[in-house]
């Protein structure tokens, strides 16, 4: 079967040396570190390991800043909305209302059931004595008014006993509290300040509503700016209002409670801040350190390739065990670098093979031209001219095929894939190539299913593959032989098979026929082929995600030593 020729090789093609070169990139643990004293890049790479250095890692700084910014915004939002203050205010107002009603109930309970009662004159009830019986909360002031608004008596709870314990504050929380109060003061500077008022005046402000039979609540500020709450409720007897009991809270009581709650939040904020910084450093280390290693390896390879540093190999860190994007990046970079150096090796080998293949016809041309100068007979000159013409055509074919092969990679990437009917393409090729086979006395048989098989790819490139396989098969056949092309769909793949009844492929050549410039052709066909056809075909098929292989057709597969009946090339393509 078809084996693309490479011509007569007078010497083996030179192989690329496997010794390490400047700029080579090693993968995994095959890296051997150069002298650390002469490799500052490696020292820098090792210095980046461990807890990330903030002064060297912008990414780490960003992670920490963004994490802290979110925490600061959260705490500032809680403090700004001040939900605990609203809750404390509501609770304190309800408590004062309850206290005022209890005091009013005491007065109502001590009034006589019958007879006139004049609280201002002391008829029927002693206001001062009754008020003295009431246990007044620390810092709270109680005012008793008659129906004309005259203050009858007032009393105050034990001074200082109601102060809120703020002993848990720290220097840090005090500082943060002061900062917050300054900022909140600036933000609220546009609002109208509360009017400062004495507690008695605040109690009188709610007297009128209580005199009308309602329980009233009012809020004001004392001379020092502390919030003060006032509640007034009527004293009833037989459906008549006889007086008003007003209660004011301790000055600044709510503010102290709010400050205490704020300090608790700020203490938790400091703890959360430290925890966030620690976790951010750990997170930054797990992200920034490996990325820094990857960047250092890439930069070191670039600098060494530019001959700016001492020669040596660069290690691409093996982070494939990480189940995240950094692990994927490491796999991609290692694969990319491996593919890059495989391509470099392949290009160097290809260049060496090309040089070797071109030397053969050039040597033959040089010999023929030198002999032509001294040839005396016409028949000798004619023979030498035929050799020169053959070698020139061989060089022209070789250069054309080499040019096509070298451009193939870029063209496969640039060309747009389209969906097409593979069977229609094979049918059109069969009509054209069948005529050429018939002229040589070779039977050409096609066996294609009736249903179309649609695949996505480059139709012209795949047609080039089948042209190479069919013409190759025909070239190995003689008068009376046959070439058969058939296709079948197998689940998610389609198989296209080109068979012939030629001499088959030597067993040792089955794994070599797809190598560039490899050929085992009859002497009569020497120089008619460049030896790149099957290599190009394999490259095109693999670019489409397919596979191609060669095998011999035998009477029985049990006996591999039996004489082959022909050769078979199989192309498998995804559908």
């Amino acid at each position: 079967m078809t084996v693309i020729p490479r011509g007569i090789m007078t010497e083996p093609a030179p192989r690329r040396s496997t010794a390490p070169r400047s700029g080579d990139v090693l993968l995994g643990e095959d890296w051997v570190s150069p002298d650390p004293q002469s490799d500052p890049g490696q020292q820098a790479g090792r210095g980046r390991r461990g807890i990330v250095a903030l002064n060297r890692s912008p990414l780490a700084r960003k992670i920490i800043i963004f994490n802290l910014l979110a925490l600061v915004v959260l705490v500032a939002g809680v403090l700004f909305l001040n939900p605990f203050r609203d809750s404390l205010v509501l609770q304190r107002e309800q408590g004062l209302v309850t206290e005022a009603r209890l005091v009013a109930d005491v007065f109502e309970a001590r009034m006589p059931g019958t007879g006139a009662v004049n609280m201002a004159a002391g008829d029927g009830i002693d206001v001062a004595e009754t008020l003295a019986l009431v246990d007044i909360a620390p810092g709270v002031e109680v005012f008793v008014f008659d129906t004309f608004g005259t203050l009858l008596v007032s009393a105050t709870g034990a001074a200082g006993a109601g102060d809120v314990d703020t002993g848990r504050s720290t220097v840090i929380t005090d500082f943060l509290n002061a900062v917050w109060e300054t900022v909140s003061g600036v933000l609220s500077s546009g609002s109208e300040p509360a009017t400062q008022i004495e507690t008695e005046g605040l109690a009188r402000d709610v007297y009128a509503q209580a005199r009308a039979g309602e329980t009233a609540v009012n809020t004001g500020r004392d001379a020092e700016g502390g919030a003060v709450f006032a509640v007034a409720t009527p004293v009833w007897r037989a459906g008549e209002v006889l007086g008003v009991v007003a209660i004011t809270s301790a000055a600044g009581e709510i503010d102290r409670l709010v400050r205490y709650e704020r300090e608790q939040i700020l203490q938790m904020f400091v703890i959360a801040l430290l925890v966030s910084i620690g976790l951010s450093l750990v997170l930054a280390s797990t992200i920034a350190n490996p990325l820094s290693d990857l960047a250092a390896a890439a930069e070191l390879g670039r600098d060494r390739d530019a001959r700016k540093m001492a020669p040596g190999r660069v290690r691409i860190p093996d982070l494939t065990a990480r189940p995240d994007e950094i692990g994927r990046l490491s796999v991609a970079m290692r694969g990319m670098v491996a593919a890059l150096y495989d391509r470099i090796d392949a290009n160097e080998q290809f260049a060496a093979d090309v040089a070797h293949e071109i030397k053969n016809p050039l040597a033959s041309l040089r010999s023929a031209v030198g002999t032509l100068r001294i040839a005396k007979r016409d028949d000798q000159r004619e023979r030498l001219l035929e050799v020169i013409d053959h070698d020139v055509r061989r060089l022209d074919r070789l250069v054309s095929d080499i040019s096509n092969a070298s451009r193939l990679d870029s063209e496969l990437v640039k060309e747009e894939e389209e969906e097409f009917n593979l069977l229609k393409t094979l049918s059109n090729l069969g009509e054209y190539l069948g005529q050429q086979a018939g002229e040589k006395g070779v039977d050409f048989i096609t066996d294609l299913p009736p249903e179309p098989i649609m695949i996505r790819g480059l139709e012209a490139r795949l047609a080039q593959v089948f042209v190479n396989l069919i013409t190759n098969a025909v070239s190995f056949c003689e008068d009376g032989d046959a070439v058969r092309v058939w296709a079948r769909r197998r689940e998610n793949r389609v198989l296209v098979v080109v068979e012939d009844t030629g001499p088959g492929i030597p067993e040792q050549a089955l794994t070599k026929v797809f190598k560039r410039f490899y050929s085992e052709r009859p002497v009569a066909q020497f120089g008619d082929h460049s030896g790149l056809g099957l290599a190009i075909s394999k490259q095109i098929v693999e670019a489409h995600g397919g596979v191609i292989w060669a095998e011999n057709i035998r009477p029985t597969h049990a006996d591999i030593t039996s004489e082959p009946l022909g050769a078979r090339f199989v192309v498998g393509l995804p559908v």
Side-chain angles (χ1 to χ4, degrees):
M1 179 56 194
T2 311
V3 183
I4 303 294
R6 70 176 293 177
I8 301 175
M9 300 183 65
T10 57
E11 59 181 353
R15 306 295 297 180
R16 177 180 175 268
S17 172
T18 59
R21 306 173 310 162
S22 173
D24 280 357
V25 179
L26 288 185
L27 306 179
E29 301 307 323
D30 53 354
W31 172 68
V32 179
S33 174
D35 182 7
Q37 300 299 327
S38 62
D39 194 348
Q42 288 298 329
Q43 291 177 325
R46 281 191 293 272
R48 293 184 179 96
R49 293 179 175 85
I51 296 299
V52 66
L54 296 181
N55 60 334
R56 288 194 238 172
S57 177
L59 179 60
R61 290 196 296 270
K62 288 180 181 179
I63 291 175
I64 294 176
I65 290 173
F66 290 157
N67 284 344
L68 295 185
L69 184 61
L71 183 60
V72 169
V73 171
L74 176 62
V75 173
V78 171
L79 295 177
F80 184 76
L81 295 176
N82 222 357
F84 48 85
R85 187 183 191 285
D86 297 336
S87 177
L88 289 173
V89 168
L90 179 60
Q91 293 178 16
R92 189 56 181 145
E93 287 179 351
Q94 292 175 349
L96 288 175
V97 169
T98 301
E99 290 183 38
R101 287 176 177 172
L102 288 175
V103 174
D105 290 342
V106 171
F107 279 94
E108 292 173 2
R110 290 183 61 84
M111 289 182 184
T114 59
V117 175
N118 186 347
M119 296 180 64
D123 294 339
I125 184 172
D126 188 340
V127 177
E129 180 184 355
T130 303
L131 185 58
L133 297 175
V134 178
D135 187 12
I136 302 174
V140 174
E141 291 188 67
V142 179
F143 302 91
V144 180
F145 299 93
D146 62 9
T147 54
F148 300 102
T150 304
L151 177 62
L152 302 179
V153 67
S154 66
T156 305
D163 291 345
V164 178
D165 179 20
T166 57
R168 296 184 183 179
S169 63
T170 64
V171 175
I172 297 178
T173 54
D174 287 343
F175 171 74
L176 294 176
N177 216 345
V179 171
W180 173 253
E181 290 176 353
T182 301
V183 174
S184 61
V186 172
L187 295 178
S188 61
S189 60
S191 59
E192 188 175 328
T195 304
Q196 297 183 357
I197 189 172
E198 296 295 334
T199 54
E200 182 181 345
L202 189 63
R204 289 186 179 278
D205 288 343
V206 291
Y207 167 80
Q209 290 178 271
R211 177 68 181 80
E214 300 178 0
T215 298
V217 180
N218 191 18
T219 304
R221 292 192 178 274
D222 63 4
E224 298 179 356
V228 179
F229 298 94
V231 176
T233 187
V235 178
W236 296 89
R237 179 178 179 271
E240 179 185 2
V241 177
L242 300 181
V244 173
V245 173
I247 294 181
T248 61
S249 66
E253 175 186 7
I254 295 299
D255 296 311
R256 289 192 295 272
L257 290 173
V258 169
R259 179 182 176 87
Y260 175 73
E261 293 294 335
R262 186 187 303 138
E263 287 176 350
Q264 302 305 303
I265 291 181
L266 291 177
Q267 288 177 2
M268 291 304 300
F269 168 67
V270 172
I271 296 174
L273 195 68
L274 296 177
V275 172
S276 179
I277 292 176
L279 293 179
S280 298
L281 287 173
V282 174
L283 177 62
S285 297
T286 60
I287 295 176
N289 278 348
L291 289 179
S292 178
D293 288 343
L294 292 174
E299 292 168 356
L300 195 58
R302 177 200 63 191
D303 293 340
R304 283 179 174 170
D305 286 340
R307 301 185 182 277
K308 295 179 181 179
M309 301 182 66
R313 290 206 165 197
V314 180
R315 176 180 181 267
I316 297 297
D318 185 2
L319 305 175
T320 54
R322 291 181 57 130
D324 54 16
E325 287 77 4
I326 293 179
R328 291 172 52 195
L329 176 62
S330 175
V331 171
M333 285 192 64
R334 288 162 59 81
M336 179 181 64
V337 171
L340 174 63
Y341 278 91
D342 287 344
R343 173 62 61 186
I344 292 175
D345 292 341
N347 288 343
E348 291 186 357
Q349 184 60 44
F350 181 63
D353 292 341
V354 167
H356 182 75
E357 290 297 320
I358 291 179
K359 281 183 179 179
N360 285 337
L362 285 178
S364 177
L365 276 173
R366 183 184 301 166
S367 176
V369 170
T371 306
L372 183 63
R373 293 176 179 174
I374 60 175
K376 299 186 180 295
R377 297 190 342 227
D378 291 341
D379 59 334
Q380 292 176 338
R381 292 179 179 177
E382 187 66 27
R383 174 59 182 161
L384 290 172
L385 289 175
E386 290 178 359
V387 171
I388 292 173
D389 179 68
H390 179 273
D391 288 337
V392 169
R393 285 188 285 106
R394 180 184 173 190
L395 278 173
D396 179 68
R397 186 182 304 107
L398 188 62
V399 170
S400 298
D401 288 346
I402 289 172
S403 176
N404 292 332
S406 63
R407 295 197 310 267
L408 184 60
D409 276 339
S410 61
E411 291 178 353
L412 287 175
V413 174
K414 293 177 182 177
E415 296 178 10
E416 293 288 338
E417 293 187 352
E418 296 180 352
E419 193 174 40
F420 66 95
N421 186 358
L422 179 63
L423 299 185
K424 183 178 179 181
T425 301
L426 292 174
S427 178
N428 293 337
L429 293 177
E431 293 179 4
Y432 174 72
L433 297 176
Q435 297 179 359
Q436 295 183 358
E439 294 174 359
K440 191 178 178 181
V442 177
D443 294 334
F444 189 84
I445 304 168
T446 58
D447 180 9
L448 305 177
E451 300 83 7
I453 299 179
M454 306 301 295
I455 67 172
R456 186 170 186 82
L458 305 177
E459 183 178 8
R461 292 299 179 181
L462 290 175
Q464 180 182 353
V465 172
F466 300 124
V467 169
N468 286 341
L469 296 179
I470 294 172
T471 55
N472 226 18
V474 172
S475 68
F476 276 88
C477 291
E478 298 178 354
D479 189 7
D481 286 330
V483 174
R484 176 174 177 244
V485 179
W486 58 276
R488 295 291 186 272
R489 180 165 182 168
R490 298 287 187 269
E491 296 180 354
N492 62 340
R493 302 189 75 82
V494 59
L495 298 180
V496 180
V497 182
V498 178
E499 301 174 332
D500 65 64
T501 58
I505 306 173
E507 287 298 319
Q508 71 276 9
L510 284 175
T511 58
K512 302 178 182 178
V513 293
F514 294 104
K515 292 184 178 180
R516 287 170 173 168
F517 304 110
Y518 183 86
S519 177
E520 286 192 16
R521 283 187 173 271
V523 177
Q525 298 184 11
F526 170 71
D528 293 340
H529 300 270
S530 64
L532 291 172
L534 288 181
I536 292 175
S537 299
K538 183 174 185 292
Q539 190 174 355
I540 294 174
V541 170
E542 291 179 348
H544 284 78
V547 293
I548 182 172
W549 71 88
E551 58 188 28
N552 283 316
I553 304 174
R554 299 186 182 280
T556 172
H557 290 288
D559 184 10
I560 61 174
T561 62
S562 59
E563 190 70 20
L565 302 179
R568 177 186 295 123
F569 279 80
V570 183
V571 176
L573 295 170
V575 178

